[in-house]
Amino acid sequence: MSEAFERATEQIYDALTGPKPDQVEEIIASRDEVLERFGPLFTPKRAREIEEHEFTSFLHFRNNKHWSGLDRSIPHLTSDMEQLREGLSRLVDPSEPLAERATAAVRHVKGMGKATATAILQVARPDDCGVWNSTSGHGLKALDVWPRFEHGATFGERYARINDVLLRLADAVDTDLWTLDALWGVIDEENEPSPNVEHGGKPSVQKEEIEDEVASEEATARFGLERYLQEFLRDNWSTTELADEWRLYAEEGEPEAGFEYPVKVGYIDLLAHHREEDRWLVIELKRGQGSDGTVGQVLRYMGAVRRELAEGEGTVEGLIIAHEASDRLRYAVGETKSVGLQLYDVDFHLRQEEARR
């Protein structure tokens, strides 16, 4: 057993036995209820007959009690119910190797990504299949137990390797895969970097950072819709100027991998790859943090992409997107040639509708 694996199990055990947020406790407590309700739907025979309302009910957090956001893919997943039934039936069939059926499902069912496919597998085979999503991916990377993959590995091959690690971790701390998945949220918070914390553990906030934060809050107050910029860029990427050269990063089974991409040191707001050249673009949206914190954050993520994805090949660039820029931010970016700065405007109009007669 490696030292990294031992450290990982220690941190997971601490999360398992220590105090947990109420939401995490509720997720863990809901296990039997959810498995009893949805487990019977995800068998090879029953999946071939599943009704649309039965399947979509599972995707809502209020019913699965565990995973939010799965319902975003409902329009794509249910656009061809026969294709969905066939893909589900194959996905949950234990007679076929896990890697092969997982790959087949994400290739042949529109909208089937890693988070949805592995959540279904967890409910169908709770003792054998763990969940791979952004949160568990970040947790595995932060704990240094993320597996390495062969170049060109299929989605299923990657998931099978990840699942092996999840099984070993659950066994090492004597818990089930459902509970392990719930614990990633706790571990996620414990491993999230805090750039403005001194050695003494107290927040160290400079006056200039407070001014930046106040300015940001005032801008948000003027137009509250700005907080949806990240989702807007993801959903409307093709309409932006950036799309001319860059495409949001995607992998098989991960069509939205470039949105909140998990790396060892946190989550990248948006990650893109050049359409023709071997170049990566790390995009960070400037929110309330100070100028120095924003530049430091994008540089940290660029380093993570260089190590975890580029592997020494290609180039990694950064881009900060902000509503407005102070001189401090402009000076910092100006001294960092690999980081750019773009400003955005939000345009919103109301027009009077003439009364019909």
Side-chain angles (χ1 to χ4, degrees), residues 196-217:
N196 290 329
V197 176
E198 302 261 30
H199 297 298
K202 295 181 180 180
S204 174
V205 183
Q206 302 296 325
K207 179 176 181 293
E208 63 195 46
E209 292 179 343
I210 294 175
E211 292 173 352
D212 277 351
E213 186 170 345
V214 170
S216 177
E217 290 175 354

Side-chain angles (χ1 to χ4, degrees), residues 74-275:
I74 285 177
H76 295 304
L77 288 165
T78 58
S79 61
D80 187 332
M81 284 302 299
E82 287 306 311
Q83 185 182 62
L84 174 62
R85 293 184 181 107
E86 181 180 350
L88 285 176
S89 179
R90 186 172 181 185
L91 176 66
V92 300
D93 187 352
S95 66
E96 185 176 0
L98 178 61
E100 294 180 15
R101 51 193 165 102
T103 298
V106 300
R107 284 182 178 176
H108 300 298
V109 179
K110 184 179 180 181
M112 182 70 76
K114 67 179 188 294
T116 302
T118 61
I120 291 169
L121 284 169
Q122 157 66 192
V123 172
R125 308 284 298 180
D127 297 329
D128 303 320
C129 298
V131 174
W132 175 21
N133 54 29
S134 294
T135 306
S136 62
H138 174 251
L140 292 171
K141 291 176 181 179
L143 297 182
D144 280 329
V145 289
W146 180 256
R148 295 185 67 84
F149 311 114
E150 296 292 332
H151 181 71
T154 65
F155 166 76
E157 290 168 340
R158 286 179 283 134
Y159 171 60
R161 291 287 306 280
I162 292 168
N163 192 54
D164 285 341
V165 177
L166 295 174
L167 286 166
R168 290 174 58 210
L169 289 171
D171 182 65
V173 299
D174 194 24
T175 193
D176 59 275
L177 291 167
W178 174 282
T179 300
L180 175 63
D181 191 54
L183 295 176
W184 289 123
V186 180
I187 296 168
D188 195 37
E189 292 185 3
E190 294 175 351
N191 285 279
E192 183 65 21
S194 300
N196 290 329
V197 176
E198 302 261 30
H199 297 298
K202 295 181 180 180
S204 174
V205 183
Q206 302 296 325
K207 179 176 181 293
E208 63 195 46
E209 292 179 343
I210 294 175
E211 292 173 352
D212 277 351
E213 186 170 345
V214 170
S216 177
E217 290 175 354
E218 290 175 351
T220 302
R222 289 197 302 269
F223 203 86
L225 290 179
E226 292 173 9
R227 60 182 169 173
Y228 298 111
L229 176 62
Q230 185 181 4
E231 288 84 357
F232 176 85
L233 288 173
R234 175 196 63 194
D235 297 338
N236 299 274
W237 182 264
S238 62
T239 67
T240 68
E241 292 85 348
L242 289 169
D244 293 340
E245 288 188 73
W246 306 88
R247 59 166 58 92
L248 280 180
Y249 179 57
E251 291 184 351
E252 184 178 61
E254 303 176 77
E256 293 186 351
F259 177 77
E260 293 188 349
Y261 184 81
V263 291
K264 181 178 180 180
V265 291
Y267 293 87
I268 299 171
D269 283 341
L270 296 165
L271 177 63
H273 193 270
H274 198 273
R275 292 185 178 276

